[in-house]
Amino acid sequence: TPESAALPIFDDIDWLRTFVGEDMISFDMFGWDDEIGKYVLNAIVYLADDPRTKIINGVAQEHAEVTKLAILPRHRRKIIGITNASDLALWTSPEIRQLEEQGQVTGQGLFDAGRESKKRLNLYLARTTGRVFEDLNRPLVGLVRRLVFYKEQRILFGIMEGIVGSRHKTFTLPWGLCNGLGANLLVGGVGRDDAGRAWVAGFKALVDTPEFKGKFIFVDGTGTQFMQLATQGSDIWVSMPRSTREACGTSDQRALINIATKTGGPMEYIQTGVNGWLMDVLADTGHSFEEVVLTLNRGGEPADNLISFIHRRLQMLLWQSLTEAVDVYYAYADQGSSRWLDMMEAAYRIKH
C-alpha cells in the first residue's frame, strides 16, 4: 500500500518469524514507531525481490493497478488483483440468518432485521459509552474504522450539524444553506496518526453538546463485536477514503446500503441508486487516474493541493449522496415508497 498508516503492526517480530518462517522474515522489513510502541511491517519490496515470489496480488483490481504504477513498477508482470472479502457467517445478523433459513429474504424482512440490530447496537452503546440514540426511527449513518489522514473522516466536521439537524431547519454548510437531514450519526475507531488523533479529540468534544446529544455518538475504539453491531444496525454505511489510496476496504462488505468513494473494493460492486451511492471524485475534473496516483505518491506541494481538492469534492459529494439516501429512506418511512426496500434487497443479492 502507498499509505504507511495502512501497514500491519506487531509487538513481537520473533513470534511472526516462528509462524511465517524465519527465511521469509527479515528484520530489515520492520521499522519501529515510537508513537504507538510497535514494529511496522513493510515487507513488499523485500518479498517482491525474492526469486521465490511468482505472484503479487493487489487486494482489489484498482489496488493492483496502483501497485504496478507506484509501488512495484519493476515487478508489474507479477501483479494481479484478487479482491479481499469478508466472512458472511461472521457479519450476518441473527435475524437475517433466520430469513435465509426460511427462504424469505425480502426488502421488508431486511428492514425489520435492521431495526432489531439497531436496538441491540443502542443497548451496547448504553453499556459501553453511557450514551444512546434517542430516536431510533431516524436513519442511522455509520462509519467505524481507523482514523488516519487518508481515510478523510475530517470532512464530517463541516457537515455534521446538518446531518443530525432537523429536516425542517436550515444549516450553514461550506457551500451555503441546506436543510438538515434528520439522521443519527455513529463514528468509531482509533486514531493511528497525528491527524486521526486530532479528529478523535474533535469528535469527543461534540458528543454531549446540545446540537449533537442523543443524535451523534463517537466510540473511541473498535473490535469485532462493535463492528458487527455497527454494520448490522446502520441504515447507511459510509466509506470516504481519498481516491486511489484505499487498498480495498472491507467494512462496506459487511453492511447493506453503502455510500463510498469510487476507489478500492467498493467501485467493483456498488451501483449508484441500486445498492448504494458511489462518490466519483475524479469524474469530469481533468485529473487522470495515473496522475492522481503518481502525484500523491511523490508528495510535496502538488500532492497537498490535490489532497485539498479531493477533500472539498468528497465533502460535497458525501452531502449530496447522504441527502439522496435519507430522502429515499424517509419516502419509505413516511409515505410507504418501496424504493428503499428495493435497494436493501438489491444490496443483499449483490453482496451474496
Side-chain angles (χ1 to χ4, degrees):
T1 170
E3 291 291 341
S4 60
L7 295 172
I9 57 176
F10 294 90
D11 296 298
D12 186 347
I13 298 176
D14 288 328
W15 175 90
L16 186 65
R17 287 166 61 88
T18 298
F19 283 91
V20 176
E22 292 190 7
D23 62 333
M24 293 293 289
I25 301 296
S26 164
F27 286 98
D28 295 335
M29 297 178 181
F30 295 86
W32 177 258
D33 189 319
D34 284 326
E35 291 188 2
I36 60 176
K38 295 180 185 293
Y39 294 99
V40 180
L41 172 64
N42 192 356
I44 186 66
V45 175
Y46 181 93
L47 292 177
D49 287 338
D50 191 315
R52 294 173 293 179
T53 300
K54 306 302 181 186
I55 293 175
I56 301 166
N57 75 277
V59 294
Q61 304 308 307
E62 180 192 63
H63 181 234
E65 298 308 310
V66 172
T67 304
K68 292 174 186 177
L69 268 175
I71 304 173
L72 292 169
R74 68 180 181 274
H75 294 294
R76 59 184 301 113
R77 291 187 177 182
K78 293 183 179 180
I79 299 167
I80 62 173
I82 304 175
T83 306
N84 277 344
S86 297
D87 181 2
L88 286 174
L90 180 63
W91 300 106
T92 301
S93 72
E95 290 79 13
I96 294 180
R97 284 201 297 271
Q98 185 175 19
L99 293 175
E100 292 171 341
E101 291 166 2
Q102 297 169 348
Q104 297 179 350
V105 178
T106 63
Q108 184 64 62
L110 293 168
F111 182 85
D112 293 341
R115 288 185 65 85
E116 293 305 310
S117 294
K118 201 183 295 188
K119 293 175 186 175
R120 274 198 302 278
L121 171 62
N122 223 27
L123 290 172
Y124 172 87
L125 293 171
R127 187 174 70 253
T128 57
T129 72
R131 301 178 178 91
V132 296
F133 291 112
E134 294 174 355
D135 183 358
L136 294 184
N137 291 317
R138 287 171 149 236
L140 175 58
V141 177
L143 52 157
V144 179
R145 59 191 53 88
R146 286 169 296 130
L147 284 91
V148 292
F149 190 44
Y150 79 92
K151 289 188 179 285
E152 287 285 3
Q153 289 99 330
R154 62 177 172 155
I155 70 176
L156 290 171
F157 286 112
I159 60 176
M160 284 174 61
E161 190 174 3
I163 292 173
V164 305
S166 168
R167 291 169 63 81
H168 306 295
K169 293 182 180 179
T170 57
F171 299 86
T172 302
L173 303 183
W175 47 85
L177 293 175
C178 294
N179 275 44
L181 300 186
N184 290 330
L185 178 62
L186 173 67
V187 179
V190 177
R192 275 281 307 274
D193 59 14
D194 289 342
R197 286 184 281 272
W199 301 343
V200 167
F203 288 130
K204 286 181 174 180
L206 294 176
V207 288
D208 291 321
T209 60
E211 297 87 352
F212 291 101
K213 189 173 183 179
K215 295 174 283 189
F216 166 61
I217 294 176
F218 176 76
V219 177
D220 187 1
T222 184
T224 301
Q225 182 185 17
F226 177 40
M227 282 294 292
Q228 285 174 322
L229 294 168
T231 52
Q232 293 165 8
S234 293
D235 298 293
I236 304 161
W237 193 255
V238 175
S239 308
M240 66 281 205
R242 200 170 299 146
S243 300
T244 77
R245 307 306 276 183
E246 184 71 83
C248 180
T250 54
S251 68
D252 51 274
Q253 299 170 0
R254 303 159 190 173
L256 283 178
I257 293 181
N258 282 276
I259 295 174
T261 309
K262 188 178 181 181
T263 195
M267 66 186 295
E268 298 176 23
Y269 76 92
I270 295 177
Q271 303 171 44
T272 294
V274 176
N275 63 335
W277 285 263
L278 272 181
M279 300 181 289
D280 192 346
V281 177
L282 305 181
D284 303 319
T285 65
H287 293 289
S288 70
F289 171 77
E290 182 172 342
E291 173 207 351
V292 170
V293 171
L294 295 178
T295 299
L296 292 177
N297 239 44
R298 291 177 186 132
E301 185 176 352
D304 292 341
N305 292 337
L306 182 56
I307 288 169
S308 295
F309 169 78
I310 292 172
H311 168 83
R312 293 191 300 271
R313 283 272 293 172
L314 262 179
Q315 189 174 56
M316 179 170 282
L317 288 170
L318 177 58
W319 178 261
Q320 292 170 350
S321 299
L322 280 171
T323 299
E324 185 170 345
V326 168
D327 283 349
V328 176
Y329 179 95
Y330 276 115
Y332 164 69
D334 295 342
Q335 303 160 25
S337 168
S338 66
R339 187 182 172 199
W340 186 259
L341 301 186
D342 293 341
M343 290 187 70
M344 292 194 77
E345 185 167 353
Y348 174 87
R349 302 294 176 197
I350 290 169
K351 185 164 117 174
H352 287 71

